[in-house]
Amino acid sequence: MIENDIEKVFFSKEDLNTMVTRLGKQISKDYEGKNLTLVSILKGSVIFMADLMRAIDIPCEIDFMCVSSYGSGTTSSGNVKIIKDLDIDLHGKDLLLVEDILDSGMTLSYVRNMLEQRHPASIRICTLLDKPERRKADISADYFGDLVPDEFVVGYGLDYDEKYRNLPYIGVLKREIYE
Ligand code: IMP
Ligand code: MG
């Protein structure tokens, strides 16, 4: 059972539901009358994205981008690879990048710079979790669910070595798993 590899629960299902509901309400209010396009940064944001889009009650489009910057360690390489690009034309769109966790910020800063060159009307960032202690790039979230300290967390889409994404809550991984 994947649960056995978890040291402690960090955000329960209920905590996550509360966070996502709040974010959905705020985004619906802020983007009223705009061309909201949610851009899910795969794979980590898959569950957050699925819940967030249902917590938004204004018209919106969605698209997906798959990037990788990690390998199998627990720190970002900063070496971002685009594995799947967006399909849609971004002219005039109000993009909201949906990410699982903002850590060093290298991934989102690379993605944002790349998308800015395609002339969207605006770009903002919505991350479920923010780990500001480890920030390296000059980037911050416009919307975030909650802050996390410098601990490695998994579940609700977040992985360690591609595993634990299916855990329905967010927990701290036992150190012995990755050390
Ligand atoms: P950044 O480029 O360092 O900001 O890394 C962002 C990506 O690293 C996220 O999208 C996650 O995939 C991954 N990441 C960072 N911290 C964690 C963590 O605590 N658990 C799982 N994945 C993480
Ligand atoms: Mg990841």
Side-chain angles (χ1 to χ4, degrees), residues 44 70 100 159 165:
Y70 250 55
D100 54 355
D159 72 307
R165 296 193 199 274

Side-chain angles (χ1 to χ4, degrees), residues 125-136:
I125 290 168
C126 175
T127 184
L128 178 67
L129 303 179
D130 191 355
K131 232 189 227 181
E133 278 173 56
R134 301 197 355 130
R135 198 64 38 83
K136 278 193 242 151

Side-chain angles (χ1 to χ4, degrees), residues 67-87:
V67 304
S68 133
S69 66
Y70 250 55
S72 63
T74 58
T75 51
S76 187
S77 63
N79 191 350
V80 183
K81 263 198 308 192
I82 306 294
I83 293 160
K84 181 214 171 289
D85 203 341
L86 298 177
D87 297 329

Side-chain angles (χ1 to χ4, degrees), residues 78-121:
N79 191 350
V80 183
K81 263 198 308 192
I82 306 294
I83 293 160
K84 181 214 171 289
D85 203 341
L86 298 177
D87 297 329
I88 54 171
D89 178 7
L90 301 186
H91 271 97
K93 302 278 164 72
D94 292 295
L95 303 187
L96 186 59
L97 309 185
V98 179
E99 180 55 305
D100 54 355
I101 184 166
L102 189 54
D103 186 26
S104 74
M106 307 290 274
T107 310
L108 271 186
S109 130
Y110 180 92
V111 169
R112 187 179 63 181
N113 290 343
M114 189 183 96
L115 297 180
E116 257 162 10
Q117 290 158 31
R118 301 184 196 172
H119 310 292

Side-chain angles (χ1 to χ4, degrees), residues 8-20:
K8 62 173 188 243
V9 177
F10 216 96
F11 296 111
S12 67
K13 280 188 191 180
E14 293 71 29
D15 295 336
L16 293 166
N17 188 266
T18 307
M19 274 180 216
V20 173

Side-chain angles (χ1 to χ4, degrees), residues 2 41-48 66-68 70-71 99-100 154-170:
I2 52 176
I41 312 293
L42 295 172
K43 301 171 198 170
S45 73
V46 63
I47 300 180
F48 176 43
C66 189
V67 304
S68 133
Y70 250 55
E99 180 55 305
D100 54 355
V154 294
Y156 196 71
L158 290 114
D159 72 307
Y160 170 65
D161 202 10
E162 295 298 330
K163 291 188 279 285
Y164 308 104
R165 296 193 199 274
N166 56 325
L167 194 70
Y169 55 85
I170 291 180

